[in-house]
Amino acid sequence: MSELQQLFANNRDWAEAIKQEDTDFFSKLANQQAPEYLWIGCADSRVPANEIVGLLPGELFVHRNVANVVLHTDLNCLSVMQYAVDVLKVKHIIVTGHYGCGGVRAAMQQQQLGLIDGWLRSIRDLYYEQRGRLQLLASEESRLDLMCELNVIQQVAHVSHTSIVQNAWHRGQPLSVHGFIYGIKDGQLKDLGVTVTSSEQIPEQYRLTPPAEINCAGQ
């Protein structure tokens, strides 16, 4: 059996196992998706979003990229966020990094890798901002672990600064932005305690006033 044929065989086994648990699962899934969570995570193959949190298809909307970066110029990520917030009405956006992230490690080094160097630029900037704090740690692994956490915290801020999220808050839509990190060595998630639930929690320079239609609706 070829490698690709093995994938199809695995798929048949998986679909059959799901149907044995719930014969109507796929018919119900085909009619709608109603996830309460948007997961923004790393593309690393060792970090499977649904499996980590024990959720089935349809329960977790997912966007993944190298080093779980959220940039105001990334139309891919922003489109996913807008659809999740405005259409699916998710209640939680969860930025999830992981310890030992190769993208974060690359941003901490000077080796040139190609196109991805530009993608990781914001993490490299963060690394140089935090060098004094990081140099107090004894090992390269501990410095990398802290940088992975700091990257998640920065991306939570980036999510919170978007008009997508702030307009949801202006509408009174319940929406929280969280920062988690995953340990590949033990399979455990850690909450970094940086949850944002309103514009009042972000710096004033990033707060956006409601657009005209929201102001009019509120009058």
Side-chain angles (χ1 to χ4, degrees):
M1 182 180 294
S2 71
E3 293 175 352
L4 291 180
Q5 287 174 328
Q6 184 63 57
L7 296 182
F8 286 105
N10 293 346
N11 169 252
R12 288 190 294 269
D13 292 342
W14 171 79
E16 187 59 36
I18 293 289
K19 286 188 287 186
Q20 287 180 4
E21 292 183 12
D22 182 354
T23 56
D24 297 325
F25 178 82
F26 289 108
S27 59
K28 291 184 291 187
L29 191 64
N31 290 328
Q32 66 172 353
Q33 66 167 336
E36 294 192 357
Y37 312 94
L38 166 61
W39 173 288
I40 300 177
C42 184
D44 192 300
S45 61
R46 300 168 296 175
V47 190
N50 285 71
E51 289 89 339
I52 286 173
V53 289
L55 294 179
L56 292 169
E59 297 179 327
L60 188 70
F61 202 58
V62 177
H63 174 79
R64 296 170 67 179
N65 61 55
V66 175
N68 42 272
V69 172
V70 178
L71 299 175
H72 71 280
T73 54
D74 180 11
L75 295 182
N76 185 348
C77 182
L78 294 179
S79 296
V80 170
M81 285 176 53
Q82 182 163 33
Y83 186 80
V85 172
D86 295 351
V87 179
L88 297 177
K89 307 295 185 185
V90 299
K91 296 178 180 177
H92 304 275
I93 299 176
I94 305 169
V95 180
T96 306
H98 65 95
Y99 292 119
C101 179
V104 174
R105 186 191 302 276
M108 297 170 66
Q109 300 172 347
Q110 293 183 314
Q111 180 180 357
Q112 186 176 150
L113 297 175
L115 184 62
I116 197 171
D117 295 330
W119 177 256
L120 298 174
R121 176 62 184 269
S122 66
I123 305 178
R124 183 182 296 273
D125 291 342
L126 178 64
Y127 170 63
Y128 276 90
E129 290 172 10
Q130 298 290 333
R131 272 187 305 171
R133 178 180 177 184
L134 292 162
Q135 287 170 354
L136 297 175
L137 301 177
S139 69
E140 179 181 349
E141 183 177 8
S142 61
R143 290 191 288 273
L144 175 59
D145 285 349
L146 177 57
M147 264 304 298
C148 291
E149 293 181 353
L150 293 173
N151 179 48
V152 170
I153 294 168
Q154 177 169 266
Q155 307 314 324
V156 167
H158 289 173
V159 172
S160 303
H161 298 167
T162 64
S163 59
I164 298 165
V165 168
Q166 293 191 48
N167 284 341
W169 289 332
H170 292 320
R171 293 191 298 266
Q173 184 175 331
L175 181 64
S176 300
V177 185
H178 311 273
F180 293 176
I181 194 157
Y182 174 70
I184 292 176
K185 293 180 180 179
D186 60 11
Q188 299 294 312
L189 270 180
K190 176 183 176 182
D191 186 345
L192 293 176
V194 291
T195 296
V196 185
T197 59
S198 71
S199 298
E200 286 70 28
Q201 292 176 259
I202 64 178
E204 186 174 359
Q205 67 265 33
Y206 298 113
R207 296 179 195 170
L208 304 172
T209 58
E213 62 267 22
I214 294 180
N215 275 327
C216 292
Q219 291 177 350

